Amino acid sequence: TKEEMGFQSEVTQLLDLVINSLYSNREIFLRELVSNASDAVDKLRFNALSDDNLYGGDSKLEIHIDFSEELHTITVKDNGIGMSREEVISNLGTIAKSGTKEFFGALSGDAQQDSQLIGQFGVGFYASFIVADRVVVTSRRADLEEGDAVRWESDGKGGFTVETVTRKKRGTEIVLHLKEDAREFANAYQLRQLIKKYSDHISTEILMPKEGEDAEGFEAVNSATALWTRPKSDIKDDEYQAFYKHISHDFEDAESWVHTKAEGKFEYTSLFFIPKRPPFDLFDRDASRGVKLYVQRVFIMDDAEQLLPAYLRFIRGIVDTADLPLNVSREILQHNKAIDSIRGASVKKILGLVEKIAKGDSYADFWQNFGRVLKEGIVEDTGNQESIAKLLRFASSKDAEAGETVSLEKYLEGMIEGQEEIYFLTGENLATVKSSPHLEIFEKKGIEVLLLCDPIDEWLVSHLTTFQDKPLKSILHGQLNLPGEESKDDTEDSEEKNDQQTDGFIKQLKEVLGDSVKDVRASSRLTSSPSCLVSDEHDMSANLQRILKASGQELPESKRILEINTEHALVEKLEETQDEEAFAKIALVLLDQAALVENGRLEDPSAFVNRVNELLLQA
């Protein structure tokens, strides 16, 4: 009996997007189905390493593609691992990808723009419905009996039917009943061209009916040689791009790639690609990785997290080695010298490739897409910290308006005479840090400050403490001892003011502000603002406290230091104020203003408003 079932709501949404957004790229349906068939063959070959009975006397693994111009159908068939009834329902009726909800939330409704996002999501089997209005899948898992096969059928709209059937051979057969405007694909020439274009590099033979009047049987229509085993000089760019799309299910070309054949103590081949766009689940550190492991051209596993560190999770590619046993497990990989060696060399190759991109015009796009995850490497990969640091880009106080970024090496080139530290300012967003009063003295002296606004930047600067022997220094912490000479007039004014400034004024401010601040002192960093908040040298920054609190962590109370610009008219007015009540109100307003400028948040906004209103009325 047929069982009728409904698609998961995300599948329905995806099908609608696929059918409407990928119309202009519809020929990729065959690439996706052949890729899935190739994966099924790889999985059978791997599982048969420990259970040879899975072959059932049929060890020649193949993919068959047939068609009928009369019936307007295309059939893609493999003798790979196959699927059970539960797997068919799970794989074809639901999307088991973390971040799916966020992915659909990012779609704009613009078909052209969304099609590129869908390419990063990876539609796989659902690409069938670009060209077909009915799809029939029949599958039998290799370890099940003939009578335990399953047939799945759908028109790609509301749901699907599932029934148990008999199938003599293991594997999966997909029959596409083509839409009227897609019937040209049921053609030998068209199908052969698409296989050559998208799937020639697949190591499994793809067979099609022989051509000619008296021709019988099937013949291979692809080269059936693993692309990475061929000499680099023999591989064309479009072949690399086709292979990238096969392993990544992306619709766009890769940005760049690096192909390496290593010989010596450990022998292996690696081929890594950098996508043009970030995967939809890039910021999910638990999402699957994009590197497949092969041993002597036998597929062992995908999502091999031991091959690359998490901060390179956007990389797609393969590693093929002869230095591991065919039955290698994830547990063995964790403590294996060959894998450690391959991992170390692979990271250096990829960072070298990124460095090469950094010399070109496309690096701004790369940084926009992958910069935030690359920063994780500063924390995770101390061995390559210097190499990663060279690839980092930051907003700068000198180029803040233009929206340009600067490298640490370029920052060093622009340091003024006598400058020994790399200055940075962290904050919640670029608008906040650009207008920070802490920058005033730096702008006056012509000293560049790096503006760090990503949440991860707080952890980054706690691990990257120096670059090329120059320490990184937060302008929010401690006293500043800046290079650059002050003019004679400035020095005289400052000395005169210091003579005028009494200990009693600072003491009175401390008494009024009480426990709300750690200390009050005259500022050397302000030129036009009346006040600002700073932290002690080794205290946690206010921005990091905000981030940790937002993540639900309880923190011990940490008070800030209020710095006062003693040359500001408002502060001078305060110093002259004899009315104790008015003095207290203005002092508290100065504290609140400093907090507002820093992060836009006050503990008691209504009290601040009331104080300002009272002062305005008095004025």
Side-chain angles (χ1 to χ4, degrees):
T1 57
K2 282 188 179 182
E3 185 181 354
E4 291 192 12
M5 306 185 79
F7 283 122
Q8 178 191 24
S9 60
E10 283 89 345
V11 174
T12 306
Q13 195 173 350
L14 182 63
L15 281 169
D16 184 56
L17 284 163
V18 166
I19 293 164
N20 294 310
S21 298
L22 300 183
Y23 184 86
S24 60
N25 201 16
R26 61 206 315 218
E27 63 186 31
I28 58 101
F29 81 91
L30 190 63
R31 182 193 82 192
E32 294 297 298
L33 294 182
V34 170
S35 288
N36 288 346
S38 171
D39 289 345
V41 166
D42 282 343
K43 285 172 183 173
L44 176 69
R45 191 182 285 120
F46 173 66
N47 288 336
L49 293 173
S50 54
D51 184 4
D52 196 59
N53 293 326
L54 291 174
Y55 282 128
D58 177 18
S59 60
K60 191 176 183 197
L61 302 175
E62 301 168 331
I63 299 168
H64 283 247
I65 297 178
D66 206 348
F67 65 95
S68 169
E69 291 187 63
E70 204 176 310
L71 299 173
H72 313 302
T73 61
I74 294 173
T75 302
V76 179
K77 184 166 53 174
D78 67 72
N79 60 347
I81 192 70
M83 292 181 284
S84 65
R85 182 187 181 96
E86 292 74 24
E87 287 171 328
V88 163
I89 293 169
S90 173
N91 293 341
L92 307 187
T94 62
I95 301 174
K97 290 183 181 180
S98 59
T100 301
K101 196 176 219 178
E102 292 78 4
F103 162 74
F104 285 115
L107 297 172
S108 65
D110 181 315
Q112 188 174 356
Q113 189 177 330
D114 289 347
S115 67
Q116 294 167 339
L117 285 170
I118 295 166
Q120 285 295 343
F121 186 78
V123 295
F125 166 76
Y126 299 121
S128 305
F129 292 99
I130 306 172
V131 295
D133 52 20
R134 186 161 68 94
V135 178
V136 181
V137 180
T138 309
S139 189
R140 182 190 133 206
R141 191 173 166 82
D143 53 3
L144 296 178
E145 301 296 326
E146 290 182 12
D148 293 325
V150 60
R151 180 170 293 137
W152 180 98
E153 188 172 338
S154 177
D155 59 5
K157 292 175 183 173
F160 55 91
T161 62
V162 183
E163 61 181 316
T164 302
V165 295
T166 299
R167 190 172 196 265
K168 286 191 175 182
K169 295 186 175 180
R170 68 166 188 270
T172 301
E173 175 188 86
I174 300 173
V175 181
L176 308 180
H177 294 264
L178 299 172
K179 297 174 181 177
E180 194 170 338
D181 62 355
R183 289 176 180 176
E184 79 263 16
F185 289 112
N187 172 283
Y189 177 78
Q190 277 263 41
L191 293 172
R192 285 169 180 257
Q193 288 297 106
L194 291 180
I195 292 165
K196 275 287 179 191
K197 181 177 179 180
Y198 291 118
S199 308
D200 193 54
H201 54 270
I202 287 175
S203 55
T204 304
E205 280 194 339
I206 302 172
L207 306 175
M208 279 191 68
K210 289 181 178 177
E211 294 184 291
E213 287 184 21
D214 301 321
E216 290 185 6
F218 287 76
E219 63 182 355
V221 292
N222 67 323
S223 59
T225 304
L227 177 123
W228 64 86
T229 62
R230 292 161 50 193
K232 288 191 280 187
S233 56
D234 292 352
I235 308 173
K236 296 175 183 174
D237 284 359
D238 58 359
E239 292 180 287
Y240 275 119
Q241 295 288 16
F243 182 71
Y244 163 71
K245 290 171 183 173
H246 162 65
I247 59 171
S248 68
H249 296 280
D250 195 355
F251 296 165
E252 286 190 281
D253 286 346
E255 173 66 31
S256 192
W257 60 86
V258 57
H259 187 181
T260 306
K261 186 173 177 62
E263 295 177 343
K265 187 176 181 182
F266 299 111
E267 294 189 4
Y268 64 92
T269 300
S270 64
L271 176 53
F272 299 120
F273 295 88
I274 295 176
K276 279 188 178 174
R277 295 175 186 272
F280 78 99
D281 53 359
L282 181 64
F283 294 105
D284 180 358
R285 288 173 60 85
D286 297 323
S288 60
R289 313 287 172 81
V291 178
K292 298 173 183 280
L293 174 64
Y294 289 78
V295 174
Q296 300 171 48
R297 293 185 298 283
V298 176
F299 170 78
I300 302 299
M301 67 180 76
D302 48 19
D303 184 23
E305 68 273 10
Q306 292 86 355
L307 294 173
L308 288 178
Y311 73 93
L312 293 177
R313 57 187 176 274
F314 57 89
I315 296 294
R316 300 290 178 259
I318 64 94
V319 170
D320 187 356
T321 178
D323 293 308
L324 291 170
L326 283 170
N327 62 347
V328 67
S329 67
R330 292 184 186 273
E331 289 69 36
I332 292 173
L333 289 180
Q334 286 175 356
H335 309 286
N336 186 279
K337 287 185 179 179
I339 285 295
D340 291 342
S341 175
I342 292 169
R343 177 186 170 110
S346 296
V347 169
K348 284 184 168 29
K349 281 287 180 186
I350 291 166
L351 292 178
L353 179 61
V354 176
E355 194 172 337
K356 189 176 173 185
I357 297 171
K359 293 174 182 174
D361 296 332
S362 63
Y363 195 64
D365 291 333
F366 172 90
W367 184 254
Q368 180 72 25
N369 289 329
F370 305 111
R372 283 177 65 192
V373 290
L374 202 60
K375 287 178 181 179
E376 295 172 14
I378 293 291
V379 181
E380 292 176 9
D381 190 356
T382 53
N384 289 298
Q385 193 178 82
E386 187 80 5
S387 298
I388 300 166
K390 289 179 181 178
L391 301 171
L392 301 179
R393 298 293 182 269
F394 302 101
S396 155
S397 59
K398 287 193 175 178
D399 297 310
E401 299 304 323
E404 295 178 9
T405 57
V406 64
S407 67
L408 289 171
E409 287 178 309
K410 189 178 176 184
Y411 180 95
L412 294 182
E413 291 171 12
M415 286 169 62
I416 69 170
E417 188 178 346
Q419 184 179 343
E420 292 298 326
E421 295 174 309
I422 298 170
Y423 295 104
F424 67 87
L425 170 62
T426 57
E428 189 172 356
N429 54 60
L430 191 57
T432 300
V433 293
K434 272 165 54 176
S435 58
S436 172
H438 294 86
L439 292 173
E440 291 171 5
I441 190 64
F442 291 87
E443 290 169 354
K444 184 178 179 181
K445 289 177 174 284
I447 300 172
E448 188 172 15
V449 178
L450 301 177
L451 308 178
L452 281 57
C453 310
D454 281 341
I456 193 174
D457 287 339
E458 291 285 356
W459 283 271
L460 184 148
V461 293
S462 68
H463 288 78
L464 183 67
T465 54
T466 61
F467 179 75
Q468 294 186 4
D469 298 327
K470 298 289 185 187
L472 274 71
K473 164 79 174 171
S474 169
I475 69 171
L476 294 171
H477 289 75
Q479 295 275 20
L480 294 175
N481 184 20
L482 299 179
E485 293 182 5
E486 290 187 359
S487 69
K488 188 178 178 184
D489 290 342
D490 285 345
T491 307
E492 287 174 357
D493 287 347
S494 178
E495 287 172 356
E496 186 183 343
K497 185 64 187 176
N498 286 336
D499 291 340
Q500 295 170 5
Q501 183 178 311
T502 62
D503 291 339
F505 173 55
I506 295 291
K507 184 180 178 183
Q508 190 178 1
L509 279 173
K510 289 181 183 177
E511 287 174 359
V512 167
L513 298 175
D515 292 339
S516 56
V517 292
K518 188 172 189 177
D519 195 8
V520 180
R521 66 190 181 205
S523 179
S524 62
R525 68 187 85 211
L526 298 174
T527 61
S528 57
S529 297
S531 61
C532 71
L533 288 168
V534 298
S535 302
D536 257 346
E537 191 67 44
H538 302 293
D539 281 355
M540 188 184 297
S541 74
N543 189 50
L544 182 55
Q545 288 182 51
R546 178 189 59 78
I547 293 168
L548 293 175
K549 281 180 181 176
S551 66
Q553 296 192 43
E554 289 188 16
L555 301 173
E557 189 179 358
S558 179
K559 293 173 184 174
R560 313 286 303 288
I561 299 165
L562 179 68
E563 287 198 355
I564 298 295
N565 178 3
T566 55
E567 296 178 15
H568 193 278
L570 184 59
V571 176
E572 289 176 341
K573 199 79 173 171
L574 176 63
E575 198 172 349
E576 296 167 4
T577 301
Q578 300 300 314
D579 185 330
E580 290 185 6
E581 189 179 344
F583 186 97
K585 286 177 185 174
I586 296 172
L588 288 167
V589 166
L590 285 175
L591 176 61
D592 286 344
Q593 281 182 343
L596 272 175
V597 170
E598 184 172 81
N599 60 25
R601 294 178 181 83
L602 295 175
E603 293 294 327
D604 190 351
S606 62
F608 169 72
V609 171
N610 289 335
R611 277 193 290 270
V612 170
N613 287 343
E614 287 172 17
L615 290 170
L616 285 170
L617 285 169
Q618 289 171 14

